[in-house]
Amino acid sequence: MDARRGSLPVPRVRQVGFFTPNAQPAPTRSQSGPPDSSSPPLSDSPASNSLSPVMIPPPRHHSDNLAAAPRPTSPLPVPEPSPFRRRGADNNNALLVGSYNPAETLLAMSPSSSHVGDGESEETMSGGWFRRSNSGKLASSLPSGTFDFSPVQSTAEALKPNKVQNPVGISAPKEQQPEAPSSSKQPKPKLTKAERRALQESQRAAKAAAKAGGGKSVAAPEEVATIKSVKQHQTQKKDAPQVAVSVAASERKGGDKSQEKERRKDAPAPRMQFDDKSRVEKAKRRSVVDQTEAKKRVELFRHLPQYEHGTQLADLESKFLQLDPMHPAIYKVGLQYLAGDISGGNARCIAMLQAFQQVVKDYSTPPEKTLPRDLTAKISSYVSFFTQCRPLSMSMGNAIRFLKNRIAKLSPSLSESESKSSICTDIDRFINEKIVLADRVIVQHASSKVKDGDVLLVYGSSCVVEMVLLHSHELGKQFRVIVVDSRPKLEGKALLRRLVAKGVHCTYTHINAVSYVMHEVTKVFLGASSVLSNGTVYSRVGTACVAMVAHAFRVPVIICCEAYKFHERVQLDSICSNELGDPDAIGKVPGRMDVNYLNDVSNSGNLQLLNLMYDATPADYVSMIVTDYGMIPPTSVPVIVREYRRDHLLI
Amino acid sequence: MPDVQALVNDFLNKLKKRKIEGSQATAKQTAELLRSVISQQRVPYTNQAGALIDSVRAIGEQLIAANPIELAVGNIVRRVLHIIREEDLSLTTAAVTELNLSTISDDDDDDGGGNQDDHPVLSAAAVAAAARSSLRPPSLQMLLEGAPEFVAVPRSSSSGGDSEGKSKSMDRNSRTRKLKHDVIEAVNELIQDITTCHELIAEQAVEHIHQNEVILTLGSSKTVLEFLCAAKEKKRSFRVFVAEGAPRYQGHLLAKELAARGLQTTVITDSAVFAMISRVNMVIVGSHAVMANGGVIAPVGMNMVALAAQKHAVPFVVLAGIHKLCPLYPHNPEVLLNELRSPSELLDFGEFSDCLDFGSGDGSPLLHVVNPTFDYVPPKVVSLFITDTGGHNPSYMYRLIADYYSADDLVVQRRHSAVN
């Protein structure tokens, strides 16, 4: 990098403004990388350059501070360029990625983020750091930034440091900014105009950046940095570092492509539509579980599986001995799903993963087959068995994707037992980090929102929410809980019992009365089966009703959900994708002898019973989602999905 | 009149024990009771209307106190009071106008007595009576010609029926009998109206339900049932989603009935309302009472449905017979006009008996169960009211109500009861 610096005299000159001309801006610069594309238009016109501070710091700077924390230790007296750049960088990041920054902050808090500081000292590392935690695009924009940004910046700063300094001082007083510029050149008299200009400039730059898109515009400082010229430039470069960089760039491009491909691969496959006759037939031929289609199907839900309930279990039990290829652990869990003994997203997911673990332990590669292929195929068949028992939740889909990914990425050099143990530890780690630890983090975050005197409304029975309540209670907070329940599962009763046993003040009511009790409620805590990337919360049916009423009464709605349940799928209503429960459960009201109106009419042709299991809560009703990466607005879900999907897969 | 008192006590008991289901039945029985009260009432020669009003009001107060949540009782009492006033007034007016228009006065009396509520054809007497109701400004013609009103206005502005009776100068035997007779006729008419309000409302169904519509309703209401079936009879085919309406599950009943009548019916849980509402074209529900501001007291859960309908811009239509129109404005209706039912509908005592006696240190129990009966739906989420007189906006309800009740009763009733 130094060499490269050397090859570029201009920046140095300009950096005089920052009075650290020969000091290596390198370390900082690498960090500042991303800003990149904003520069080309600026460097076009040197005149504008002088006024061009792209690096007007954005108001929010937490992330910089966090990331910059290790910076002061850097031996070089190069304080200002770095923060500036970083600021600029962040600014651009924000432009590119949307609400990226909060995630970053969260990242810093999350356990997996311990590497935030690593990259700081070594520039080469820094790229890696970004790449790891960020999307490909961001990572790709890094090196380019290192090129062009510094010159532009430095010129600008050199010319009117004061201007720049001012906002910096506001935004990040801790950093050494203020002193540095003060010793530099005198500020221009017309500050305001310049500032305005600067702002315009930066906006224009941002636009250009957006157009140029990510890392494509690698601007050479000496040249007029149009994209074309950039390309030329890249090819021209001969010095080692340049080559290295261009290699890096090409790598990056390659990475982009492969990532793209991967992303496409990752994109959820279209779901099975059960009104597609041929496919249903095909699926049926393959299926293990004998399912008879419901006679009275609800027209609106023809695309969802509607089977007679109650027949499969006995049938499957009788088939136990015939199902050779099925591992007993899988079989057991499948039966439990079918019988409803295991319910709740986390419990189902953990049970499935542990069954897979068992399978892996007992697995031995058949001759003439490779472990990754055969095991993946096996797991796929098990997954389809589970699906027949009960449609998989999206969180389980994520877990399966993780597992398959791990199997596929096994290094071929490992022996069978090694790969098996590695898969098992991976599963353990997934359960531990993504579910158990994540829950603990969520409980920490969420219980900080519980205050004395609160009246909390919870719906149904979510294990995370329950943990939040119990933890807050253990902390000695004085609050009341209103448990809202709904038919036909009445899961709230079990929750109520557990809460009361722990001594929490509870009020129990049914969902129709939710607007009656909402007057006194101060916060609504809800669990989720999955959070979709448009912010929709896919959860137990009735959640949307509760959230809606809370919204109407201006009560904040807090969703507690582990990040592994986030999914990149989008959904606008509860109809297109859902799960149908046993319709007969609707007609029966346990414990109410007087309600038996539907006992005898269930064979009437005109009457159908519909037992929806889930519904989709629109993002507008959600005030906040508490996840293991921290507390985020629903609009940030896609960011988490994108930024951490790699992370899901890699852990 | 011992037999009347016995009747009243019997009815009071039923009200107190909430033995009477549904506002229509309540309204009808109230009207019948009041009719027998009126018929038993001895009428003095002077101030007959005053005497009738007093006795009706006395009983009405007891009835209202027996079940203040059942607004239909109060509505009917007010209606009857209003009828007595109107009859009295029309007789008086008739007596006055007799001087000028002796030939047609008899006809007018009958019309005014029998049909003052529903008939679009208003007799001169009815117009005069209507002009007097304090919510309605006197018509230009009245103001100009003045004569009959001039006599009447001071009377109505005085507070009670007593003064009205006193200020009456003419008392004739024929008039005495006629008043009581007219009042009973009018109350009969009212009872008739209450029984037939379903049909009147159902007649309008075809105007609101088109082919292939998807309709959502919650709980059970006879009016809704008739409304939907009326549309079905006109060969409209549509589907109905019925939310079951926990904890009473009346929706099951409605669904069964609808299915039996050949409608495509789907029962859903209350929690699925939000999920399904996006595929629904119209929400049609019954109500418990309609307040003067256009707010609705309805079975619990209705507010949720209304909010969901509003979110998805689905019309929220409330069917209400005239006996459900309450002339009062609600204050904190969620609490004051509500009733908590037994927790046993939600929690099995046997199952939770161990939890129920958990107590914290200060003696208050740890576990509460809330099981309200009604919900208040604010007027802004209601798209339309369909009453037996047609469709109305929520903002118009106060005006509609003014036709049915005399302003004196709204206030006097409550002031009086406070004194007692």
Side-chain angles (χ1 to χ4, degrees):
Chain A
M1 284 291 192
D2 292 1
R4 179 163 52 100
R5 277 296 146 192
S7 76
L8 311 175
V10 189
R12 240 191 248 159
V13 173
R14 287 186 177 163
Q15 258 167 356
V16 171
F18 274 114
F19 58 135
T20 53
N22 0 350
Q24 312 298 339
T28 63
R29 136 186 50 106
S30 66
Q31 288 310 320
S32 61
D36 60 3
S37 39
S38 55
S39 44
L42 296 177
S43 48
D44 276 332
S45 57
S48 75
N49 255 357
S50 60
L51 292 178
S52 74
V54 187
M55 51 301 211
I56 284 213
R60 82 203 133 86
H61 55 100
H62 314 278
S63 55
D64 315 8
N65 285 346
L66 269 178
R71 176 72 35 100
T73 63
S74 86
L76 303 170
V78 225
E80 52 287 330
S82 64
F84 278 129
R85 278 182 198 151
R86 316 204 79 255
R87 200 132 301 130
D90 269 307
N91 199 2
N92 282 340
N93 275 359
L95 292 169
L96 289 173
V97 189
S99 50
Y100 164 75
N101 270 328
E104 189 66 332
T105 14
L106 298 173
L107 168 75
M109 285 187 272
S110 77
S112 63
S113 66
S114 55
H115 50 262
V116 169
D118 306 349
E120 303 285 336
S121 49
E122 272 187 326
E123 28 183 349
T124 47
M125 269 306 291
S126 69
W129 166 60
F130 264 105
R131 198 163 292 177
R132 228 182 304 156
S133 59
N134 298 345
S135 76
K137 247 182 202 165
L138 265 186
S140 64
S141 64
L142 264 177
S144 65
T146 56
F147 274 117
D148 48 339
F149 198 71
S150 47
V152 176
Q153 222 172 13
S154 52
T155 50
E157 280 156 7
L159 287 177
K160 37 181 185 64
N162 208 352
K163 234 171 290 158
V164 181
Q165 160 209 0
N166 201 2
V168 170
I170 292 161
S171 70
K174 278 183 211 158
E175 297 174 31
Q176 309 145 13
Q177 292 317 313
E179 322 135 15
S182 66
S183 65
S184 68
K185 280 187 187 176
Q186 289 310 306
K188 278 183 186 174
K190 287 200 292 178
L191 269 186
T192 54
K193 192 183 172 188
E195 269 174 1
R196 227 179 303 136
R197 185 85 183 269
L199 195 69
Q200 286 175 353
E201 208 64 48
S202 69
Q203 281 166 347
R204 206 181 307 159
K207 243 182 238 168
K211 231 184 232 168
K216 274 180 199 159
S217 59
V218 177
E222 355 32 328
E223 291 178 351
V224 178
T226 60
I227 294 180
K228 252 188 238 162
S229 69
V230 170
K231 276 179 191 161
Q232 282 176 1
H233 182 71
Q234 267 185 346
T235 53
Q236 279 173 7
K237 300 239 160 151
K238 297 279 154 36
D239 354 349
Q242 298 291 354
V243 172
V245 169
S246 64
V247 165
S250 66
E251 256 178 19
R252 161 180 21 105
K253 267 183 192 165
D256 262 356
K257 249 179 225 162
S258 71
Q259 267 179 5
E260 272 308 307
K261 222 182 259 172
E262 223 161 86
R263 187 166 299 164
R264 233 172 286 142
K265 208 168 62 184
D266 283 350
R271 270 171 283 213
M272 169 94 169
Q273 300 294 316
F274 282 78
D275 46 356
D276 183 348
K277 283 228 174 74
S278 60
R279 293 198 57 191
V280 172
E281 279 305 312
K282 229 184 271 172
K284 231 180 178 176
R285 250 176 282 137
R286 269 184 278 128
S287 83
V288 181
V289 186
D290 194 16
Q291 284 163 319
T292 43
E293 271 176 26
K295 284 187 290 280
K296 286 185 298 174
R297 295 166 53 157
V298 180
E299 195 56 36
L300 211 48
F301 289 94
R302 282 208 175 273
H303 58 284
L304 297 178
Q306 299 189 38
Y307 296 119
E308 292 288 350
H309 283 253
T311 57
Q312 302 102 318
L313 192 57
D315 177 65
L316 207 56
E317 272 164 355
S318 65
K319 263 200 234 164
F320 177 58
L321 294 177
Q322 303 160 21
L323 294 174
D324 272 350
M326 200 64 67
H327 191 282
I330 299 290
Y331 193 74
K332 179 178 146 203
V333 173
L335 286 183
Q336 279 171 329
Y337 286 169
L338 196 52
D341 290 345
I342 299 184
S343 64
N346 286 344
R348 279 167 72 194
C349 194
I350 290 176
M352 181 188 71
L353 286 175
Q354 282 171 343
F356 283 148
Q357 207 173 16
Q358 201 60 46
V359 167
V360 170
K361 273 181 190 153
D362 297 345
Y363 175 82
S364 63
T365 318
E368 294 170 15
K369 284 190 179 170
T370 57
L371 179 135
R373 286 196 167 220
D374 189 51
L375 193 56
T376 310
K378 262 213 148 99
I379 282 178
S380 298
S381 76
Y382 295 155
V383 167
S384 73
F385 169 72
F386 282 147
T387 316
Q388 287 158 26
C389 291
R390 184 176 164 190
L392 296 185
S393 67
M394 293 184 203
S395 54
M396 290 160 82
N398 279 341
I400 291 165
R401 214 199 301 173
F402 158 80
L403 182 61
K404 286 190 175 171
N405 202 300
R406 292 308 298 172
I407 295 174
K409 294 252 168 84
L410 278 179
S411 110
S413 60
L414 289 179
S415 74
E416 185 179 312
S417 65
E418 276 170 343
S419 9
K420 274 162 65 178
S421 70
S422 130
I423 294 171
C424 286
T425 44
D426 279 338
I427 291 177
D428 273 336
R429 223 170 37 198
F430 187 90
I431 293 176
N432 195 36
E433 282 192 16
K434 291 291 161 196
I435 302 178
V436 178
L437 284 179
D439 279 352
R440 244 188 268 164
V441 176
I442 290 173
V443 167
Q444 290 281 329
H445 285 308
S447 52
S448 72
K449 294 290 167 203
V450 179
K451 305 261 182 318
D452 277 353
D454 264 351
V455 179
L456 310 176
L457 187 142
V458 302
Y459 175 71
S461 164
S462 154
C463 62
V464 195
V465 171
E466 184 184 345
M467 286 158 73
V468 170
L469 297 177
L470 290 179
H471 183 72
S472 312
H473 183 67
E474 277 161 20
L475 291 180
K477 292 180 178 173
Q478 298 297 314
F479 60 92
R480 281 200 306 127
V481 179
I482 296 179
V483 180
V484 179
D485 208 350
S486 84
R487 287 231 314 137
K489 290 205 140 194
L490 294 177
E491 292 160 312
K493 278 189 186 178
L495 174 71
L496 178 73
R497 180 175 283 279
R498 292 193 292 266
L499 288 179
V500 169
K502 288 272 161 81
V504 182
H505 280 269
C506 287
T507 304
Y508 180 80
T509 191
H510 57 93
I511 188 163
N512 275 341
V514 69
S515 38
Y516 177 84
V517 293
M518 197 55 84
H519 293 275
E520 51 175 347
V521 173
T522 55
K523 271 160 207 136
V524 175
F525 277 94
L526 297 172
S529 164
S530 151
V531 179
L532 309 179
S533 72
N534 59 345
T536 302
V537 175
Y538 185 74
S539 184
R540 171 70 65 226
V541 65
T543 304
C545 285
V546 174
M548 172 187 69
V549 174
H551 182 76
F553 282 79
R554 309 280 190 276
V555 178
V557 176
I558 299 168
I559 303 279
C560 299
C561 180
E562 301 86 352
Y564 85 99
K565 291 179 176 173
F566 287 15
H567 203 282
E568 64 264 35
R569 191 163 267 162
V570 291
Q571 203 173 323
L572 288 173
D573 58 23
S574 322
I575 312 247
C576 291
S577 150
N578 211 321
E579 188 183 332
L580 299 182
D582 180 7
D584 294 332
I586 300 272
K588 297 182 196 113
V589 185
R592 292 285 300 280
M593 292 309 161
D594 50 327
V595 183
N596 51 5
Y597 312 114
L598 293 181
N599 285 357
D600 47 338
V601 280
S602 38
N603 47 5
S604 147
N606 288 323
L607 186 67
Q608 293 146 344
L609 307 175
L610 176 66
N611 185 1
L612 274 186
M613 299 284 277
Y614 294 100
D615 66 9
T617 310
D620 354 344
Y621 295 154
V622 179
S623 323
M624 180 167 90
I625 298 175
V626 184
T627 175
D628 28 341
Y629 296 114
M631 296 177 265
I632 56 169
T635 45
S636 294
V637 172
V639 182
I640 296 268
V641 168
R642 205 177 76 171
E643 302 300 310
Y644 295 103
R645 197 185 39 217
R646 325 241 84 230
D647 195 32
H648 281 301
L649 301 179
L650 303 176
I651 291 201
Chain B
M1 3 161 217
D3 51 344
V4 171
Q5 200 50 50
L7 276 178
V8 170
N9 283 340
D10 185 38
F11 189 62
L12 280 178
N13 257 330
K14 279 192 194 160
L15 279 179
K16 275 184 191 157
K17 293 179 181 164
R18 312 293 194 252
K19 289 282 186 200
I20 306 172
E21 281 278 320
S23 51
Q24 197 205 7
T26 321
K28 203 170 153 192
Q29 292 187 32
T30 312
E32 280 162 359
L33 180 75
L34 290 178
R35 184 180 59 187
S36 59
V37 166
I38 291 168
S39 68
Q40 300 279 336
Q41 174 74 36
R42 250 168 232 273
V43 184
Y45 286 117
T46 59
N47 188 20
Q48 337 146 14
L52 279 182
I53 286 174
D54 278 348
S55 67
V56 167
R57 182 186 288 153
I59 288 172
E61 263 161 30
Q62 294 178 43
L63 297 182
I64 292 172
N67 187 353
I69 308 303
E70 187 52 89
L71 294 165
V73 175
N75 297 344
I76 295 302
V77 171
R78 290 190 185 95
R79 278 296 292 277
V80 171
L81 288 174
H82 181 64
I83 285 169
I84 297 171
R85 284 177 205 278
E86 294 262 296
E87 292 302 329
D88 182 40
L89 185 67
S90 63
L91 281 181
T92 319
T93 335
V96 174
T97 48
E98 219 168 44
L99 304 172
N100 311 328
L101 312 156
S102 54
T103 48
I104 55 162
S105 66
D106 273 3
D107 277 352
D108 285 354
D109 274 354
D110 286 343
D111 277 352
N115 308 318
Q116 83 275 29
D117 294 323
D118 313 303
H119 268 236
V121 191
L122 286 180
S123 66
V127 169
R132 209 74 50 60
S133 113
S134 68
L135 278 172
R136 178 175 296 194
S139 79
L140 263 187
Q141 195 190 7
M142 295 298 172
L143 284 173
L144 280 175
E145 294 176 1
E149 280 64 50
F150 206 66
V151 184
V153 163
R155 268 192 287 138
S156 75
S157 64
S158 67
S159 68
D162 309 48
S163 56
E164 206 171 316
K166 265 175 214 155
S167 71
K168 217 181 304 165
S169 53
M170 310 151 274
D171 49 321
R172 284 168 293 175
N173 276 355
S174 61
R175 267 202 66 204
T176 314
R177 263 179 274 116
K178 192 159 174 30
L179 175 69
K180 215 163 111 172
H181 174 259
D182 284 352
V183 167
I184 290 176
E185 279 290 296
V187 173
N188 277 336
E189 198 93 13
L190 173 67
I191 295 172
Q192 192 65 30
D193 279 352
I194 294 170
T195 21
T196 59
C197 73
H198 296 320
E199 284 101 79
L200 287 173
I201 294 174
E203 272 173 19
Q204 307 167 48
V206 271
E207 294 170 28
H208 296 282
I209 299 178
H210 63 73
Q211 192 76 10
N212 284 335
E213 196 141 29
V214 180
I215 289 167
L216 180 112
T217 183
L218 177 127
S220 177
S221 156
K222 184 137 191 297
T223 324
V224 172
L225 176 72
E226 296 295 337
F227 192 81
L228 296 178
C229 289
K232 166 76 181 167
E233 277 157 23
K234 301 281 189 205
K235 306 291 174 218
R236 298 278 155 86
S237 78
F238 52 94
R239 278 180 295 152
V240 185
F241 285 117
V242 182
E244 55 187 8
R248 300 187 63 208
Y249 305 106
Q250 296 281 305
H252 292 178
L253 209 57
L254 178 71
K256 189 176 162 184
E257 191 66 29
L258 286 174
R261 298 219 199 169
L263 275 165
Q264 282 291 322
T265 312
T266 308
V267 181
I268 59 172
T269 53
D270 302 315
S271 44
V273 163
F274 188 89
M276 299 308 298
I277 198 103
S278 57
R279 298 298 183 272
V280 167
N281 301 119
M282 196 180 346
V283 179
I284 298 178
V285 294
S287 62
H288 173 69
V290 178
M291 307 308 286
N293 66 345
V296 183
I297 310 287
V300 69
M302 207 60 92
N303 193 32
M304 194 174 76
V305 178
L307 287 173
Q310 189 193 32
K311 158 83 180 171
H312 289 273
V314 176
F316 184 81
V317 178
V318 177
L319 309 183
I322 38 137
H323 57 277
K324 300 195 177 182
L325 305 185
C326 179
L328 304 178
Y329 285 82
H331 168 67
N332 201 3
E334 294 92 340
V335 178
L336 296 182
L337 291 176
N338 214 334
E339 205 167 34
L340 295 181
R341 295 167 67 90
S342 160
S344 67
E345 290 182 333
L346 299 185
L347 283 188
D348 202 357
F349 280 131
E351 196 184 333
F352 269 80
S353 52
D354 53 332
C355 286
L356 287 170
D357 18 278
F358 276 128
S360 56
D362 52 357
S364 65
L366 270 182
L367 176 58
H368 293 266
V369 178
V370 178
N371 184 13
T373 316
F374 299 119
D375 236 352
Y376 173 70
V377 181
K380 61 173 186 193
V381 294
V382 179
S383 318
L384 187 70
F385 284 103
I386 299 180
T387 68
D388 29 13
T389 57
H392 304 286
N393 245 11
S395 56
Y396 182 72
M397 293 319 279
Y398 83 97
R399 196 63 198 74
L400 196 65
I401 279 162
D403 289 346
Y404 293 131
Y405 304 98
S406 102
D408 291 340
D409 295 327
L410 314 185
V411 188
V412 170
Q413 188 77 39
R414 285 190 288 177
R415 201 192 297 151
H416 203 112
S417 68
V419 169
N420 279 11

